Amino acid sequence: MRLCATGRPVRRIWTVELRPQPGGPVMLCPHCPPASGALHSEAAARPAVVAHLAGHARRDALPVHLRTCQCQERGCPWHPRHRGCSGRIALVLTRESGGRLWRLADACTACAQATAHSAVVPEAASGPALELPRRCESRQKKRRNRGTAPSPVVRIREMLSYLAAALPPEVVADARLLAVQCALRATGSGQLMLPVGLLRGMRMAQQQGPWQALEKAGWLVRLPRPHPPTDICRIAAQLLDATVLTQAPGRAGRTQAAHAALRLTSHPALRELSASEQLVGLTLATHSCPNTIKGVIEAERIGRVCAVPPDGLAATLDRLVTAQAARSWSYDLGSEDITWSLGHVLADWSNHPLPHHDVPSG
């Protein structure tokens, strides 16, 4: 007897084109009716594009065990040849043609790393769930999250990867460090109340440049304080795409990851370094191989994540060695990879990103 599958196949690759028009770019999606109006600028279009693609991903949700690498399914046309598909399947956001074409698709870790101008998008917990009695629901959620929630190191690494694709290349390191804190500390709706004391610890309490860079990129907008101000010790902001990209399970876990990132960049060995050097140090610590002090990453990729030009990367890595944040580093001309060994500062942090008393009990 022949079985007949009548269900609609779930699409796991979506694209959006930004087509230039006199009044501003128009967003075109092959799966949706044409947009009714133009977007004012390319920077303003970025959040709209990401939100649109994420809407497709939510509507076409698929259990993790049924998802496949869409790049491999098409013969891996999105990147140069590499050693083969491997690693977990994740949603990967890719920007092509100078930002005119955006793609969101399932891809394996190997393909995601080999694809230029791409980033892994932090995802919400998805998949079928049992209908539970109300009194048992919260207990079951805690048990489920305890075993599946990503570690602070993984959360920071994925957020750095996302910001590499979501922010324009001209957004410099101090704005990216601020964006990491904003994205990890925001609510599910993208609202943010950032303490001034935290900004003082980051040495950004009196700086307007990082905020202005993120606003210019269309990534967030600062909110005016009420009159009279009810809380003068906090800065309010709205992340324009936070409802899509800060939904990794558990806001408490994301906040702990933000604390961990701040703890590393505030360490005495890194505190006196520049924002660019702190960001590279954070990237090395979060991209090292698990349970080791060594790591390897493409030079182009680390430059893109940290907004460091190629001619400045070597000097930045040398200063991290001088500060004992890294023991050594080398560059392979053949593979164009950067290989490093962590110094005791980054090695201790990568093994214990949070102090013992900050680790959740359940």
Side-chain angles (χ1 to χ4, degrees):
M1 181 177 68
R2 179 177 298 178
L3 297 178
C4 178
T6 59
R8 179 177 63 90
V10 179
R11 186 184 302 275
R12 299 299 301 175
I13 172 172
W14 309 272
T15 58
V16 165
E17 179 187 358
L18 289 176
R19 186 166 297 176
Q21 297 292 339
V26 173
M27 185 170 64
L28 298 178
C29 174
H31 315 297
C32 301
S36 58
L39 302 165
H40 297 297
S41 66
E42 185 175 344
R46 290 173 182 265
V49 167
V50 174
H52 186 89
L53 290 172
H56 281 296
R58 284 196 302 269
R59 288 189 293 272
D60 295 334
L62 194 67
V64 175
H65 67 280
L66 295 178
R67 292 163 59 180
T68 60
C69 178
Q70 298 295 311
C71 184
Q72 182 185 25
E73 292 288 335
R74 288 159 177 76
C76 289
W78 300 334
H79 56 75
R81 290 184 60 186
H82 60 82
R83 296 173 184 173
C85 291
S86 63
R88 71 183 183 91
I89 302 298
L91 274 175
V92 178
L93 178 68
T94 305
R95 183 184 71 245
E96 294 184 349
S97 303
R100 292 188 180 182
L101 184 66
W102 293 74
R103 179 178 64 247
L104 184 66
D106 279 345
C108 68
T109 302
C111 287
Q113 293 178 350
T115 304
H117 307 298
S118 66
V120 174
V121 177
E123 296 184 56
S126 60
L130 296 176
E131 291 294 332
L132 300 172
R134 289 182 179 272
R135 62 184 179 182
C136 299
E137 188 174 2
S138 61
R139 184 181 305 171
Q140 292 291 341
K141 283 183 178 180
K142 288 182 179 179
R143 290 176 181 173
R144 207 161 45 236
N145 290 340
R146 188 182 306 168
T148 61
S151 68
V153 172
V154 171
R155 291 180 189 271
I156 298 169
R157 181 174 67 240
E158 291 185 346
M159 193 56 65
L160 289 172
S161 178
Y162 151 65
L163 291 172
L167 297 177
E170 60 268 19
V171 176
V172 294
D174 55 354
R176 291 175 186 270
L177 286 174
L178 177 61
V180 169
Q181 293 296 320
C182 291
L184 290 173
R185 294 176 186 274
T187 66
S189 60
Q191 295 179 355
L192 178 71
M193 294 289 286
L194 209 60
V196 173
L198 184 145
L199 294 172
R200 193 176 298 116
M202 298 176 66
R203 300 189 175 185
M204 294 185 185
Q206 305 299 324
Q207 295 188 28
Q208 298 298 316
W211 291 102
Q212 293 171 351
L214 296 178
E215 288 182 315
K216 183 179 179 180
W219 192 75
L220 61 69
V221 59
R222 281 177 289 181
L223 302 177
R225 292 178 178 176
H227 297 285
T230 57
D231 191 347
I232 61 174
C233 297
R234 295 177 182 269
I235 294 180
Q238 175 68 48
L239 273 62
L240 300 180
D241 57 359
T243 56
V244 179
L245 297 166
T246 61
Q247 291 301 302
R251 186 186 176 196
R254 289 189 280 114
T255 303
Q256 288 178 345
H259 284 319
L262 184 61
R263 176 170 168 257
L264 177 64
T265 55
S266 300
H267 190 280
L270 276 74
R271 186 173 178 81
E272 300 304 322
L273 300 180
S274 68
S276 179
E277 292 154 4
Q278 291 177 5
L279 184 57
V280 172
L282 183 63
T283 302
L284 297 185
T286 54
H287 286 75
S288 296
C289 300
N291 303 318
T292 72
I293 64 171
K294 297 183 180 297
V296 59
I297 191 174
E298 301 92 335
E300 184 273 337
R301 186 179 172 204
I302 193 173
R304 178 160 42 91
V305 169
C306 301
V308 178
D311 56 353
L313 183 57
T316 299
L317 292 169
D318 285 340
R319 284 191 286 271
L320 289 175
V321 173
T322 302
Q324 299 184 348
R327 289 185 182 178
S328 61
W329 70 274
S330 62
Y331 176 69
D332 188 316
L333 288 173
S335 63
E336 299 184 346
D337 288 342
I338 296 288
T339 304
W340 67 87
S341 294
L342 299 178
H344 68 90
V345 174
L346 298 186
D348 291 345
W349 180 90
S350 61
N351 290 326
H352 306 285
L354 290 174
H356 179 72
H357 62 273
D358 283 342
V359 177
S361 59

